[in-house]
């Protein structure tokens, strides 16, 4: 009897041990999240009241590393030495200038100057606002230089390009390197659906001015990214759906003389949405 009990106990112990050995280890680690194809940037106009050093310090504090360059930080008539020094200052701050503008133009000479400026600065994208009559000339310059040109929409006050549809209708038959700088906030102020328009026109959107607004009317104001009427999680979902590869350049136009708190909140919100969805 004792030998039988010993045999049974040993058998059970062996089964348990065997089960323990054969069970695969479970990991609590979450699967690696696929990196987004778009990048977070800052639109230089956000820093209109600040010198370059101050702007770069705010970018450092919010951990943003791409900048659309405005002429008040790098004048159009800058020399090669001044441009080199500018880029070195950006590099020292961990920032890359990826585009120039917005640049308003009224004549062919203005357009020539804009393309010459972009070439000397060393970027391949201009954000611009040309007259309708000059669009064929813009196309010609794009073909000559291989510098892309993104037309900025400015909302219901803008007689030339109030919304994304108005830009697209003017560029759709031009060289594919002529496209949009999609200001999603101004587009919404013109009572347009910015999430849907991103989906419609994504192939011609080269740059995005990331912002939210308080109302879908002319009186709508820029606000912190998470506090407006545009559904930012839906916008991020659409960015991924269309595989957008450009910059989402935060253009913060509230509290412009003291913008850091709002910029930091907006950057944190955008990153949080991207990480959570």
């Amino acid at each position: 009897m004792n030998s039988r009990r010993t045999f049974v106990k040993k058998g059970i112990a062996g089964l348990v041990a065997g089960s323990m050995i054969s069970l695969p280890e479970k990991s609590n680690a979450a699967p690696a999240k696929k990196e987004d194809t778009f990048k977070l940037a800052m639109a230089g106009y956000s820093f209109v009241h600040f010198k370059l050093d101050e702007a770069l310090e705010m970018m450092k504090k919010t951990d943003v590393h791409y900048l659309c360059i405005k002429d008040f930080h790098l004048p159009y008539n800058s020399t090669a030495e001044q441009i080199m020094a500018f880029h070195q200052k950006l590099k020292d701050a961990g920032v890359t200038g990826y585009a120039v503008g917005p640049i308003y133009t009224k004549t062919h000479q203005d357009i020539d100057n804009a393309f010459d400026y972009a070439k000397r600065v060393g970027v391949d994208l201009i954000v611009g606002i040309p007259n309708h009559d000059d669009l064929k000339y813009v196309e010609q310059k794009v073909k000559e230089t291989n510098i892309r040109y993104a037309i900025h929409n400015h909302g219901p006050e803008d007689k030339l390009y109030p919304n994304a549809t108005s830009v697209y209708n003017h560029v759709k038959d031009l060289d594919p390197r002529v496209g949009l700088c999609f200001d999603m906030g101004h587009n919404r102020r013109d009572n347009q659906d910015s999430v849907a328009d991103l989906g419609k026109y994504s192939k011609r959107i080269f740059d995005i001015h990331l912002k939210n607004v308080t109302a879908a009317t002319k009186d709508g104001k820029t606000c912190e990214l998470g506090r407006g009427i545009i559904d930012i999680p839906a916008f991020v979902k659409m960015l991924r759906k269309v595989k957008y590869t450009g910059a989402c350049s935060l253009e913060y136009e509230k509290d412009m003389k003291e913008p850091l708190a709002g910029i930091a909140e907006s950057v944190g919100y955008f990153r949080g949405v991207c990480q959570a969805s």
Side-chain angles (χ1 to χ4, degrees):
M1 182 65 74
N2 289 339
S3 63
R4 185 180 176 186
R5 287 178 180 171
T6 301
F7 175 79
V8 172
K9 286 180 180 178
K10 286 183 177 179
I12 292 172
L15 286 171
V16 172
S19 299
M20 289 174 67
I21 292 169
S22 62
L23 284 174
E25 290 186 12
K26 291 184 178 181
S27 172
N28 293 325
K33 188 174 177 65
K34 188 176 181 181
E35 189 172 343
D36 283 316
T37 56
F38 52 87
K39 58 181 179 282
L40 179 61
M42 287 298 305
Y45 184 67
S46 302
F47 303 120
V48 65
H49 296 294
F50 298 90
K51 295 180 179 179
L52 180 61
D53 289 342
E54 296 170 312
L56 293 176
E57 182 62 25
M58 282 187 268
M59 292 183 69
K60 181 179 180 180
K61 287 179 177 178
T62 52
D63 195 29
V64 180
H65 300 279
Y66 296 92
L67 176 68
C68 185
I69 301 164
K70 276 294 291 179
D71 60 293
F72 49 71
H73 286 151
L74 185 64
Y76 296 137
N77 62 355
S78 295
T79 65
E81 291 76 17
Q82 289 169 328
I83 291 171
M84 187 181 301
F86 175 87
H87 283 305
Q88 186 61 52
K89 185 168 284 191
L90 263 59
K91 184 178 179 181
D92 292 344
V95 172
T96 299
Y98 74 91
V100 294
I103 299 175
Y104 289 83
T105 56
K106 299 295 184 184
T107 66
H108 284 197
Q109 185 61 57
D110 290 342
I111 295 168
D112 287 345
N113 293 343
F115 276 88
D116 176 66
Y117 176 65
K119 184 177 179 180
R120 290 185 295 111
V121 173
V123 296
D124 69 352
L125 178 62
I126 298 170
V127 177
I129 304 94
N131 290 329
H132 294 161
D133 292 345
D134 291 332
L135 285 170
K136 292 298 292 184
Y137 189 70
V138 167
E139 179 185 42
Q140 178 184 323
K141 296 296 292 186
V142 164
K143 290 178 178 179
E144 289 175 4
T145 63
N146 196 32
I147 294 173
R148 295 174 300 151
Y149 193 96
I151 298 174
H152 188 292
N153 60 286
H154 268 111
E157 304 92 340
D158 184 355
K159 303 304 181 186
L160 291 173
Y161 311 104
N163 53 52
T165 300
S166 65
V167 178
Y168 180 79
N169 286 339
H170 279 95
V171 305
K172 62 183 180 181
D173 296 323
L174 300 179
D175 187 280
R177 290 166 292 185
V178 183
L180 291 77
C181 171
F182 180 39
D183 190 308
M184 57 192 280
H186 285 316
N187 192 69
R188 191 71 186 98
R189 287 178 56 250
D190 201 46
N191 200 27
Q192 307 298 308
D193 185 335
S194 290
V195 176
D197 286 348
L198 171 62
K200 287 179 188 176
Y201 308 125
S202 61
K203 291 184 179 179
R204 296 297 277 264
I205 294 176
F206 306 151
D207 195 28
I208 292 174
H209 277 183
L210 182 68
K211 67 176 63 164
N212 214 331
V213 292
T214 57
T217 66
K218 183 177 180 179
D219 295 329
K221 306 295 183 186
T222 301
C223 60
E224 293 82 359
L225 199 61
R227 303 194 197 190
I229 61 171
I230 300 174
D231 186 340
I232 302 302
F235 195 83
V236 169
K237 184 177 180 181
M238 185 62 76
L239 286 170
R240 290 170 174 162
K241 181 178 180 180
V242 301
K243 297 180 173 61
Y244 177 67
T245 59
C248 292
S249 204
L250 180 67
E251 187 173 44
Y252 190 70
E253 296 175 304
K254 179 186 176 185
D255 304 323
M256 294 195 76
K257 292 187 177 181
E258 295 182 296
L260 181 57
I263 290 172
E265 179 181 327
S266 298
V267 167
Y269 178 78
F270 186 73
R271 287 191 172 129
V273 169
C274 291
Q275 291 168 7
S277 56

